[in-house]
Amino acid sequence: MQNPKLDLEGALIARDRVGIQDFVLLDAFTSENAFLENLKKRFSEDLIYTYIGTLLVSVNPYKNLDIYNQKQMDFYMGVNFFELPPHMSVVSLTTCTAHYALADNAYHTMLTEYNNHFILISGESGAGKTEASKKILQYYAVSCPSSAILDTVRDRMLMSNPVLEAFGNAKTLKNDNSSRFGKYMDIQFDTEGEAVGGHILSYLLEKSRVVHQNHGERNFHVFYQLIEGGEEDLVRQLGLEKSCQHYKYLAQGECSQVGSINDKNDWKTMRNALSVIDFDKSDIEHLFGIIASVLHLGNVHFEADSQGHASLLGHAELRWVSKLLSVNVQVLHEALTFRKFEAKSDEVLSPFTVDNAIYARDALAKAIYGRTFNWLVNRINQSLENQDSSRKTVIGLLDIYGFEVFHVNSFEQFCINYCNEKLQQLFIQLTLKAEQEEYEAEGIGWEPVQFFNNKIICDLVEERHRGIIAVLDEECLRPGDATDLTFLEKLEEKMGHHPHFVTHMLADKSTRRTLERGDFRLLHYAGEVTYCVVGFIDKNNDLLYRNIKEVMHNSKNFIVRECFPSTETESRRRPETVATQFKNSLQKLAEILMAKEPWYVRCLKSNENKRPGHFDDTLVRHQVKYLGLMEHLRVRRAGFAYRRRYEVFLKRYKPLCPATWPHWRGVPAEGVAKLVEHLGYKPDEYKMGRTKIFIRHPRTLFATEDAYELCKHQLAAKIQAKYKGYRTRGEFRRQKEAATKIENCWRGAQARKERERRAWAVKVIKKFIKGYMTRGEAKTTDNSEYLAFVRQNYLNRLKQNLPKTVLDKTTWQTPPPVLTETSEILRKLHYRLLVRKYVRGITPQRKAQLTQKVITSAIFKGKKDSYPASIPIPFEETRISEEDINIRALQLIRQERIKYSVPVVKYDRKGFKPRPRQLIFTASAIHLVEDVKIKQRVAYSALKGVTCSNLGDCIMIFHITCEDPKQKGDLIMECDHLFEALTKLCVIANKQDAIKVQQGSIKFEMNGGKEGFVDFGVGPQPMCYKEKNGHLMVVSTRVRGR
C-alpha cells in the first residue's frame, strides 16, 4: 500500500485524473467554468475537499466515505498544512478529511505562536456546516492531552452539540437537521495545549418557527423528542399526549415523522448530554416544564364575545400553562386578553380583539422559547467555564448561516445576508492582511490588489441614521400608523439614488417587471436578492406587552424568572429592536474575529435532493457565487500562486539539476537559485524571499513537476539497471564456483556409496537365500540370521496389531512355526495385562454401579424388551435432591434416612387418573409424596412383591398387604427410570425375589377385596388409558433388536 502521507506536490502528477487539490494552482483561475470543472472532477472521485490556499472547500457527498476515524486523525496530528492533501492518496483515490488537517494546523500554530485563532464554517442549509463543526470539535477532543479533569471539560464540549441541536435545530425543506441559529464557540487552551474551558455565543435564533412552520417543515427537534421519546411518567406530569398532531405548534408542517430522524434515540442522547453538562434534576424538570408549556400555549384558543372582545375558549390548556410556568392562572388569563396602560397613577385595562390575543399568545411563546434558549446557552457556558484566571489561548468555531436566496425573502433572510456581507468584508480584509504580512516577512514587494469592496453595501444596511436598519427602527419607534409599506416609502425617499438599491417605483421598465410593489432589491457582493417587506415591522419590533413580562417575572419557576428579569418591567425605555440587537452582536463578533488568526471552511451542497454522488452544476455554481469563492481565489492569486520553503523545494526537485544532485552541500537558497537557473525560470515568473521561493504561475510549477516526474522514472530506471546488473553478475560468479565444487564432491561421494552398497547387497542376498533353504533345520550359522529376521518381523507385526480389549479374541497374529509356543505365552501374558488394567481402572463407584447392573441383569435379562437399551445408561445415586422435596414432607421422613428418590406418575386404582408424585425409599419404608403430604407409606415388610410387564413400557405395580386399614391397595406407577428404581429397591429392601416380570395382564388388588387389571400391548405411540372393560390399557412401542 502506498504511504498515505503524500505532500502537496505528490498530488500534482494525478491532476489530469483527479483535478487540482488547491485552486490557487488552477491556471484559468478567473474562469468560473474551470473552477466548477475542477470541483466536479474531484467530486466524481469521492475527493470532496479542495483548498484555496488555507481556505477549505467541502462538497457534501450525501454518503458515508468512512474517513472520520482514529486512523485519519493520527495521520493529520502534527503534520504541516500542505504535507497532507485534502485526500489520503491520489493513486488509490481514497478520500480523507481535510477538516483534520485544517484543525490540526490551527491548533499547532496556536501553540507555536501563542496567539488566538478562529475557524469560520459557512454555507447553505444542508451543506454540512453542523457536521463539519462537530468533526473539528471531536478532533480536538481526541488529539489534545488527556486527564480526568480535562476529559470532563471535553465531554461537556462534545455533549453541548446534541443539546444545542435539540433546542436550536429543525427540519426544513432543504435539510433535516438545519441549524436555525448562528453559533460561535471559543475553545480555551492552556500553555500545554490542553482544552481547559469553552464559551458559546448564539446569534438570531429563528423564534418565529416556534409558532409557524411551512408545509414540509418541523418545529425545533426538542418538541418531537419530548413527545416521542419522553418517559410515560414525565409526559403525564407535563400534561402531554403521545401524539404530535394534538398540538397546533407541531401539526402545521404535517411531517412530524421523518425517516432520517429517530426522535426516541435523540431524546436519550440529549438527556444523557444534559447530565454530562451537569444539569441537576431540578434544572431538567423546570426546563422540560417550559418546553411543555409552549405546546400547551399553542393550544390556547380564543373567540369573540358579543362586543368583539377576545375570550378564552376552554381553560384546561391555560391551567397547564400556569402550572408548568408556576404563575397565577387568573393573572395569566388577564394578560392574554387585556393590555395594561398606565395613565399617570392609574392603570387601565384595554380588552384584546381575537387577533390581538393570538398575537400576544404567539409573542409569549416565542419569548419563552427564545429566552430559555439563551438561558440554556448561558448554563452550558457556566459548565464550560475555566476557573484558572491565567492567560489562555483560544480557537473559535463559527458555524454561521450562509447566504440565503429563496423564492420569497423576508426579514430573516435580510438579517442573514447582512451577516454574510459583514463576514465577507472581514474575510477579504483578513485574507489581504495575511497575504501582505507574508510578503513583507519574505521581503517581497506588495502589489495592491483590485477587488470589490462591499463596504458600500454594509453601509447601506447599517449606517447610522441613514442605513436600512436605521430607517426600519425609525418606523418601528415613531408614533402613528407605521406599516411595512410606509417603511418601503421611507427607504425609497432616503436610498433612491443608491446604486445597490432598487424598488418597483425606482426601477426602469425592464427591471420593474421582476419586482412587486412591496419589494426592494439589494445588489449584494454575491448577487441580487429581492426582499418582501411584509412582516418587517412586526418581526423587528418582536413586541411583548409589559404586563405579560410582569406575569413571567413573578413566576416561581427559577428559569422563567431569570429569563424575565425585573429590570425589564421596571425600565420605561423601549427595548432595542431585533435588527439593532443583531447589528450590535455582529459588530462585537467582528471585533472578536479581527483579534484572531482566521481559517475558513466553505461548505457546498452537491444537489438539492440529497442524492449520493450527484453533482448539480447549476446549484454548485450558485453557491460558489454566493460564498464569494471566486473573489477569494482572485485575491489569493493576485500575487504568487505557489510558495515553498527553500529546503522543501530543493529536497523535491534537486534531481532536475546536475549541480544539486544527488547532494547539495551549501545554503538551501543558493541551491534553489542554481536549480531555477538550470530550469530556465524567467525573472518575472518567480521571486526569492528570505526563506521561501515564490512562483507566480501554476503552469511554471506544473512544468517543473512534469519534468520531475519524468526525471524520477529515468533516475529510477538507471539506478535499478545498475544495481540489478551488479547484483546479477556477483550472484552468477558465486553460483558458478559453488556449483563446480559441489558437483565434484557429490560425484565422488555417490560413486563410493554405490560401490559399498552393492558389495553389502551381495552378501545379504547370499545369506538370505541360504537361510531360506535351511529354514526347517536346526539353528545353524547359515540360517540363524534368517530365523532372527523372521522372529523380528513377526514381533513387529504383533506389536502394531495387539488386541485392545479383553473381548477381542480374533486379531492375534498367526505365528510362524518356530514361534508357535512363544506366541501362545505372549498371548496369555497380554490378556492377563489387559484384565489387570481393566480391574485397576474400576472405581468404587463404578464397582457399585456394576454390582447393581448385575442385579438388574439377573432380574430382567431376556425377560423385558426395554432392558437391552438400559444397559449403557448409568444409575444415579438419586433422581430428586433434598432441596426439591417439600420441607414439610422432608421433616416427616428425614429421621428414616432417605436412600433414593425418583419422580413417578401414580395411576388411581379406579379411574386410572395420572397424578405426578415423588417416590422415596428410606431405610425402612416406601413413601409416596405429593408436595407437603405423604400420600402413602408402605413398610418393606408389607410389600408382597412388584410386577412389571415384559414389554417396553415403564409401568410397575407394587403389591401391598392390605391387613393395615390405612393401606388402600396395590400401587400402579409409571417411572421413566424403572430399572434403576427397582434395582435400588432390591438393594435397600433386599427384595430381589419379590420382583417379577409377567406376560399378559397383571392383576392388582384394592381395599375391600376388589380386583383390577392392567393390560399391555404394542402400538405406534406409547399411551395409557382406561378401556371399556374397566382395565388400564398400557400401550408401548415395539423395541427393535430384541
Side-chain angles (χ1 to χ4, degrees):
M1 179 180 175
Q2 185 158 345
N3 187 348
K5 290 194 175 183
L6 293 176
D7 55 17
L8 174 69
E9 292 81 359
L12 296 178
I13 60 174
R15 61 184 180 273
D16 293 334
R17 180 155 45 94
V18 298
I20 301 298
Q21 68 181 40
D22 190 339
F23 281 112
V24 173
L25 300 179
L26 193 64
D27 205 22
F29 69 93
T30 59
S31 169
E32 193 173 88
N33 289 334
F35 189 99
L36 286 172
E37 183 61 31
N38 190 61
L39 262 185
K40 188 173 183 178
K41 187 182 292 186
R42 294 179 62 75
F43 182 82
S44 66
E45 299 290 348
D46 284 344
L47 302 174
I48 63 173
Y49 298 110
T50 312
Y51 293 127
I52 307 178
T54 56
L55 180 145
L56 177 66
V57 180
S58 169
V59 185
N60 193 339
Y62 295 113
K63 63 180 178 181
N64 183 15
L65 298 178
D66 191 26
I67 59 177
Y68 304 101
N69 51 47
Q70 183 65 45
K71 184 178 180 182
Q72 307 305 329
M73 293 185 188
D74 294 340
F75 283 151
Y76 282 96
M77 285 185 190
V79 178
N80 184 270
F81 190 74
F82 290 109
E83 185 178 339
L84 278 176
H87 56 280
M88 264 183 62
S89 170
V90 295
V91 177
S92 63
L93 303 181
T94 304
T95 303
C96 216
T97 173
H99 290 145
Y100 296 161
L102 185 140
D104 188 74
N105 277 271
Y107 175 70
H108 283 91
T109 305
M110 176 199 70
L111 292 180
T112 304
E113 300 178 1
Y114 202 59
N115 56 3
N116 299 326
H117 295 251
F118 75 89
I119 301 173
L120 171 60
I121 306 169
S122 60
E124 281 194 14
S125 178
K129 302 187 299 297
T130 301
E131 285 303 310
S133 175
K134 287 195 288 189
K135 297 306 178 188
I136 291 173
L137 197 59
Q138 288 171 2
Y139 181 77
Y140 286 138
V142 172
S143 61
C144 296
S146 178
S147 69
I149 297 175
L150 300 178
D151 286 345
T152 301
V153 172
R154 274 175 286 183
D155 287 344
R156 290 177 179 177
M157 285 184 187
L158 291 174
M159 288 297 102
S160 68
N161 270 324
V163 174
L164 292 178
E165 282 189 18
F167 285 83
N169 288 25
K171 181 200 180 302
T172 65
L173 294 175
K174 293 187 175 183
N175 184 5
D176 291 348
N177 188 32
S178 176
S179 297
R180 307 317 296 162
F181 70 105
K183 182 178 75 172
Y184 175 77
M185 181 178 191
D186 267 338
I187 307 170
Q188 300 171 351
F189 298 89
D190 63 12
T191 54
E192 302 298 322
E194 299 172 345
V196 294
H199 189 80
I200 299 171
L201 297 175
S202 64
Y203 298 95
L204 197 64
L205 177 72
E206 189 187 15
K207 294 187 293 184
S208 61
R209 182 169 294 272
V210 174
V211 300
H212 175 73
Q213 308 91 43
N214 294 323
H215 183 76
E217 296 190 344
R218 299 206 316 175
N219 211 321
F220 293 101
H221 292 325
V222 67
F223 293 112
Y224 305 93
Q225 293 174 9
L226 176 60
I227 296 296
E228 297 294 336
E231 298 79 8
E232 293 290 342
D233 290 344
L234 175 63
V235 172
R236 186 169 56 255
Q237 290 171 10
L238 299 177
L240 300 177
E241 295 185 15
K242 283 282 194 176
S243 172
C244 295
Q245 301 305 314
H246 184 70
Y247 301 100
K248 178 178 181 293
Y249 285 165
L250 302 184
Q252 298 172 70
E254 297 182 354
C255 64
S256 56
Q257 300 294 328
V258 182
S260 62
I261 300 175
N262 189 325
D263 291 312
K264 291 183 179 179
N265 289 347
D266 292 344
W267 166 262
K268 294 176 183 177
T269 302
M270 187 262 291
R271 283 297 301 265
N272 177 57
L274 288 173
S275 302
V276 172
I277 299 172
D278 203 23
F279 279 69
D280 58 30
K281 186 178 179 181
S282 175
D283 291 338
I284 295 173
E285 287 178 357
H286 284 90
L287 182 60
F288 291 141
I290 293 171
I291 299 304
S293 74
V294 173
L295 295 179
H296 286 297
L297 195 57
N299 285 1
V300 173
H301 299 293
F302 303 94
E303 63 179 356
D305 61 13
S306 59
Q307 297 178 337
H309 300 153
S311 64
L312 199 63
L313 187 62
H315 292 76
E317 297 289 357
L318 191 66
R319 282 195 290 270
W320 273 110
V321 174
S322 68
K323 177 183 177 182
L324 296 170
L325 296 180
S326 300
V327 297
N328 184 281
V329 65
Q330 296 299 330
V331 176
L332 180 60
H333 182 190
E334 181 183 286
L336 290 176
T337 52
F338 292 88
R339 184 175 181 182
K340 184 186 294 184
F341 293 96
E342 294 184 3
K344 295 183 179 180
S345 59
D346 297 330
E347 291 183 347
V348 179
L349 294 178
S350 174
F352 282 151
T353 64
V354 172
D355 290 342
N356 294 144
I358 292 174
Y359 176 86
R361 178 200 68 189
D362 290 348
L364 176 58
K366 291 188 291 184
I368 289 173
Y369 192 84
R371 297 184 185 209
T372 302
F373 182 81
N374 293 335
W375 176 88
L376 184 67
V377 173
N378 293 332
R379 185 68 177 76
I380 293 172
N381 286 335
Q382 290 175 15
S383 72
L384 298 177
E385 185 178 1
N386 175 33
Q387 304 300 327
D388 187 356
S389 59
S390 60
R391 185 189 167 195
K392 301 291 182 294
T393 53
V394 302
I395 294 178
L397 287 179
L398 180 58
D399 177 3
I400 204 78
Y401 6 68
F403 220 88
E404 289 191 353
V405 183
F406 299 140
H407 181 68
V408 177
N409 301 289
S410 187
F411 179 75
E412 290 84 4
Q413 282 68 48
F414 173 76
C415 292
I416 288 171
N417 293 343
Y418 162 54
C419 170
N420 278 268
E421 285 288 356
K422 290 292 290 183
L423 291 176
Q424 175 69 6
Q425 186 183 27
L426 177 72
F427 177 51
I428 296 296
Q429 288 175 1
L430 291 174
T431 302
L432 289 173
K433 177 184 173 186
E435 286 283 291
Q436 189 171 358
E437 286 177 351
E438 184 174 18
Y439 278 50
E440 290 174 356
E442 291 294 326
I444 305 293
W446 173 253
E447 302 171 5
V449 177
Q450 296 298 322
F451 66 95
F452 171 66
N453 190 344
N454 67 336
K455 183 177 184 299
I456 185 173
I457 305 174
C458 293
D459 290 344
L460 171 64
V461 176
E462 67 183 9
E463 189 176 3
R464 294 186 64 184
H465 308 303
R466 294 172 55 84
I468 294 175
I469 291 178
V471 174
L472 179 60
D473 285 354
E474 183 181 330
E475 279 299 290
C476 290
L477 300 177
R478 75 172 177 83
D481 190 14
T483 65
D484 296 320
L485 290 178
T486 61
F487 161 61
L488 183 60
E489 291 170 0
K490 281 289 182 68
L491 287 180
E492 291 171 339
E493 179 184 332
K494 291 196 175 185
M495 318 285 178
H497 300 292
H498 199 287
H500 292 267
F501 177 85
V502 67
T503 65
H504 184 274
M505 187 186 77
L506 300 174
D508 56 34
K509 289 184 178 180
S510 60
T511 306
R512 190 171 294 170
R513 296 192 190 98
T514 63
L515 287 169
E516 299 291 337
R517 293 189 180 276
D519 293 348
F520 69 91
R521 180 175 293 165
L522 296 183
L523 181 57
H524 289 281
Y525 77 93
E528 294 180 345
V529 182
T530 302
Y531 299 99
C532 176
V533 296
V534 176
F536 264 59
I537 296 292
D538 284 343
K539 291 177 180 178
N540 189 45
N541 268 326
D542 194 25
L543 183 63
L544 185 66
Y545 298 123
R546 185 186 302 276
N547 55 329
I548 295 180
K549 293 181 182 178
E550 291 174 352
V551 173
M552 293 299 105
H553 173 66
N554 293 323
S555 168
K556 295 178 183 178
N557 184 317
F558 73 91
I559 297 178
V560 178
R561 200 163 53 249
E562 283 185 34
C563 292
F564 293 87
S566 60
T567 53
E568 278 194 53
T569 56
E570 293 169 359
S571 173
R572 292 295 179 261
R573 291 186 59 188
R574 187 182 178 102
E576 287 184 334
T577 62
V578 172
T580 299
Q581 291 178 32
F582 189 57
K583 182 183 76 171
N584 294 339
S585 64
L586 279 183
Q587 290 173 348
K588 291 178 183 177
L589 176 63
E591 293 172 4
I592 292 171
L593 299 183
M594 284 297 291
K596 295 179 172 62
E597 296 296 320
W599 304 79
Y600 306 101
V601 179
R602 294 287 192 261
C603 300
L604 305 179
K605 295 166 65 173
S606 57
N607 62 83
E608 287 284 13
N609 301 320
K610 304 175 188 174
R611 283 174 54 193
H614 179 64
F615 190 91
D616 186 334
D617 296 63
T618 304
L619 177 65
V620 175
R621 185 188 300 272
H622 171 86
Q623 295 171 88
V624 167
K625 181 179 179 181
Y626 284 160
L627 288 172
L629 297 183
M630 294 300 296
E631 185 76 9
H632 180 70
L633 175 58
R634 206 163 62 79
V635 171
R636 287 303 303 260
R637 277 295 303 272
F640 295 88
Y642 175 86
R643 60 211 70 177
R644 272 296 176 274
R645 295 187 67 84
Y646 290 133
E647 297 86 348
V648 177
F649 189 84
L650 183 62
K651 181 180 179 181
R652 181 168 185 81
Y653 297 117
K654 64 182 180 180
L656 298 177
C657 176
T660 57
W661 177 259
H663 300 292
W664 174 257
R665 304 296 182 184
V667 179
E670 295 175 0
V672 172
K674 287 276 188 184
L675 178 58
V676 297
E677 181 183 354
H678 178 77
L679 293 173
Y681 282 14
K682 296 178 181 179
D684 64 338
E685 290 182 338
Y686 75 100
K687 290 287 185 184
M688 301 288 285
R690 293 189 176 93
T691 63
K692 297 178 182 178
I693 179 174
F694 288 72
I695 297 176
R696 189 176 298 277
H697 303 298
R699 60 177 176 270
T700 306
L701 176 63
F702 293 157
T704 306
E705 182 62 30
D706 291 340
Y708 169 70
E709 186 65 19
L710 182 61
C711 176
K712 182 170 66 175
H713 288 296
Q714 293 171 348
L715 285 174
K718 287 180 181 179
I719 293 171
Q720 283 180 343
K722 290 287 186 183
Y723 182 70
K724 287 179 179 178
Y726 168 76
R727 286 290 302 270
T728 303
R729 285 192 297 275
E731 185 67 21
F732 176 75
R733 283 196 299 269
R734 286 194 298 273
Q735 289 181 359
K736 186 177 180 180
E737 292 172 1
T740 303
K741 289 181 180 178
I742 293 171
E743 188 178 23
N744 292 336
C745 293
W746 177 255
R747 286 177 177 174
Q750 287 297 102
R752 288 190 293 272
K753 282 185 179 180
E754 183 64 19
R755 187 190 64 189
E756 293 172 359
R757 190 175 66 82
R758 290 184 177 183
W760 174 82
V762 169
K763 291 181 181 179
V764 170
I765 292 170
K766 284 181 179 180
K767 277 192 174 185
F768 191 85
I769 292 172
K770 286 184 179 180
Y772 180 76
M773 294 172 65
T774 59
R775 65 185 182 279
E777 301 175 5
K779 184 178 179 181
T780 63
T781 305
D782 292 333
N783 64 6
S784 60
E785 289 190 10
Y786 177 79
L787 294 177
F789 167 76
V790 171
R791 284 196 297 271
Q792 184 177 357
N793 184 45
Y794 171 72
L795 292 175
N796 285 334
R797 285 189 292 110
L798 184 63
K799 177 183 176 183
Q800 296 172 1
N801 297 282
L802 287 172
K804 299 295 189 294
T805 65
V806 179
L807 301 177
D808 185 359
K809 305 293 186 180
T810 61
T811 59
W812 190 266
Q813 295 289 310
T814 304
V818 295
L819 291 175
T820 303
E821 184 179 352
T822 305
S823 174
E824 183 60 24
I825 294 171
L826 290 174
R827 188 182 68 78
K828 291 179 179 179
L829 288 173
H830 180 68
Y831 279 107
R832 287 180 64 185
L833 178 63
L834 290 177
V835 171
R836 187 176 184 185
K837 285 183 178 179
Y838 181 79
V839 171
R840 286 186 174 182
I842 297 176
T843 62
Q845 294 81 3
R846 177 65 175 164
K847 186 176 180 181
Q849 283 268 339
L850 292 175
T851 303
Q852 293 178 13
K853 286 287 186 178
V854 169
I855 296 172
T856 309
S857 176
I859 299 172
F860 298 103
K861 184 177 180 181
K863 299 177 182 178
K864 190 164 179 64
D865 289 355
S866 55
Y867 170 73
S870 73
I871 294 174
I873 301 173
F875 290 170
E876 299 289 341
E877 289 296 321
T878 183
R879 294 289 175 174
I880 304 174
S881 63
E882 289 193 3
E883 290 80 7
D884 294 328
I885 301 173
N886 189 279
I887 187 65
R888 295 184 181 178
L890 193 63
Q891 289 173 351
L892 295 173
I893 61 176
R894 178 171 283 169
Q895 66 273 16
E896 297 185 25
R897 285 186 302 136
I898 296 174
K899 296 291 188 178
Y900 174 78
S901 52
V902 65
V904 297
V905 175
K906 182 250 182 186
Y907 289 88
D908 291 346
R909 298 171 184 83
K910 294 182 180 180
F912 302 116
K913 184 176 181 180
R915 301 182 187 275
R917 297 286 189 268
Q918 292 177 337
L919 183 64
I920 300 175
F921 297 158
T922 65
S924 57
I926 300 168
H927 298 265
L928 195 63
V929 176
E930 178 191 9
D931 291 334
V932 300
K933 298 179 181 179
I934 297 177
K935 301 295 288 185
Q936 193 166 351
R937 181 182 183 276
V938 180
Y940 293 132
S941 58
L943 181 64
K944 295 191 293 184
V946 180
T947 308
C948 59
S949 77
N950 65 319
L951 300 178
D953 57 86
C954 298
I955 297 294
M956 53 185 182
I957 301 171
F958 282 34
H959 302 287
I960 302 166
T961 304
C962 293
E963 297 173 356
D964 186 348
K966 293 182 179 181
Q967 300 297 343
K968 301 176 183 179
D970 297 345
L971 284 172
I972 306 168
M973 292 176 287
E974 183 179 18
C975 178
D976 292 336
H977 307 285
L978 180 140
F979 298 106
E980 179 181 286
L982 294 181
T983 303
K984 296 285 186 180
L985 178 63
C986 290
V987 174
I988 296 169
N990 195 19
K991 290 282 187 177
Q992 184 171 349
D993 295 336
I995 297 173
K996 302 242 183 308
V997 179
Q998 182 175 320
Q999 293 184 1
S1001 299
I1002 300 176
K1003 182 176 70 173
F1004 64 89
E1005 296 179 356
M1006 293 180 282
N1007 198 5
K1010 295 180 181 180
E1011 294 180 350
F1013 292 88
V1014 181
D1015 299 333
F1016 296 90
V1018 177
Q1021 294 291 335
M1023 61 182 73
C1024 293
Y1025 59 91
K1026 183 177 180 181
E1027 286 189 297
K1028 293 181 180 180
N1029 58 8
H1031 296 182
L1032 174 62
M1033 183 64 191
V1034 179
V1035 179
S1036 60
T1037 57
R1038 186 175 299 279
V1039 179
R1040 295 182 180 180
R1042 184 185 174 192

